[in-house]
Amino acid sequence: MRCPYCRYSDSRVVDSREADDGALIRRRRSCPECGRRFTTVEEAVLAIVKRSGVTEPFSRTKVITGVRKACQGRPVDEDSIALLAQRVEEAIRARGAAEVPSHEVGLAILGPLRDLDEVAYLRFASVYRSFDTLDDFEREIATLRNGKGTTADGTAQSSGVQSTAASQNTATPRTTTPETTTPETAASGI
């Protein structure tokens, strides 16, 4: 490591400590040339390989932004979205690969999002899986109704559907207003 003060090309590690629950390593270094000390921070970078072949660092913010768009107008709070993004990142890092295809990130989002909110899941899946026809939506809705979803690796699983909010009894109360019937809506059957 080059000294930031005198630009000498070598330094000696005096102390190493983990930070942020082991995600970072802080090293205290000493320059043998000028004698000054400095700190470096090392972090393992998780790289995402996009379809075009371009590699970029994993961004939890991008996951949150995509999930937030899918959850727009739904009774999902920011904490749930942040927790989902954390779960996705942990699942991807647990694979142990330095580079992960972007397709796998999308698959890792689908499972937890389905548990969080089925409508948001359907919105995200329709964009992620490029639904082209109404049949694509109907097929996915039928899968949801049958209680079968997909796991993080894209394989089918069979389980009962229960939203995270309902299972934790922390659903946000929603106030509904009584609908008024107008002659137009009564005639059209809406």
Side-chain angles (χ1 to χ4, degrees), residues 104-174:
E104 289 186 25
V105 176
L107 289 176
I109 292 171
L110 285 175
L113 184 57
R114 181 177 186 270
D115 293 338
L116 182 65
D117 187 276
E118 289 181 342
V119 172
Y121 164 80
L122 195 58
R123 289 174 179 171
F124 189 88
S126 70
V127 173
Y128 179 71
R129 292 183 178 158
S130 303
F131 287 5
D132 292 325
T133 65
L134 207 50
D135 291 338
D136 294 334
F137 282 96
E138 289 173 348
R139 216 175 0 264
E140 194 65 35
I141 290 169
T143 303
L144 285 170
R145 285 189 176 143
N146 291 334
K148 296 179 182 176
T150 55
T151 61
D153 63 358
T155 58
Q157 73 178 12
S158 178
S159 66
V161 176
Q162 183 178 13
S163 74
T164 304
S167 66
Q168 296 175 353
N169 269 342
T170 59
T172 306
R174 292 191 296 172

Side-chain angles (χ1 to χ4, degrees), residues 30 62 108 182 190:
S30 175
K62 279 189 165 185
T182 62
I190 297 178

Side-chain angles (χ1 to χ4, degrees), residues 6 8 15 23 51 55 58-59 69 85 89 117 132 142 181-182:
C6 70
Y8 187 70
D15 184 35
R51 284 183 225 162
T55 304
F58 176 83
S59 170
K69 286 179 185 175
E89 183 175 1
D117 187 276
D132 292 325
T181 306
T182 62

Side-chain angles (χ1 to χ4, degrees), residues 40-134:
T40 59
V41 178
E42 299 173 17
E43 179 179 18
V45 177
L46 177 61
I48 304 300
V49 181
K50 300 189 136 227
R51 284 183 225 162
S52 64
V54 175
T55 304
E56 65 179 42
F58 176 83
S59 170
R60 190 184 292 188
T61 305
K62 279 189 165 185
V63 172
I64 290 172
T65 302
V67 171
R68 187 180 292 132
K69 286 179 185 175
C71 292
Q72 189 172 358
R74 301 294 303 154
V76 177
D77 60 5
E78 286 295 318
D79 290 341
S80 297
I81 294 172
L83 185 62
L84 181 141
Q86 180 182 346
R87 287 176 53 199
V88 168
E89 183 175 1
E90 288 171 356
I92 291 170
R93 286 191 185 275
R95 296 177 186 183
E99 292 185 344
V100 176
S102 60
H103 177 75
E104 289 186 25
V105 176
L107 289 176
I109 292 171
L110 285 175
L113 184 57
R114 181 177 186 270
D115 293 338
L116 182 65
D117 187 276
E118 289 181 342
V119 172
Y121 164 80
L122 195 58
R123 289 174 179 171
F124 189 88
S126 70
V127 173
Y128 179 71
R129 292 183 178 158
S130 303
F131 287 5
D132 292 325
T133 65
L134 207 50

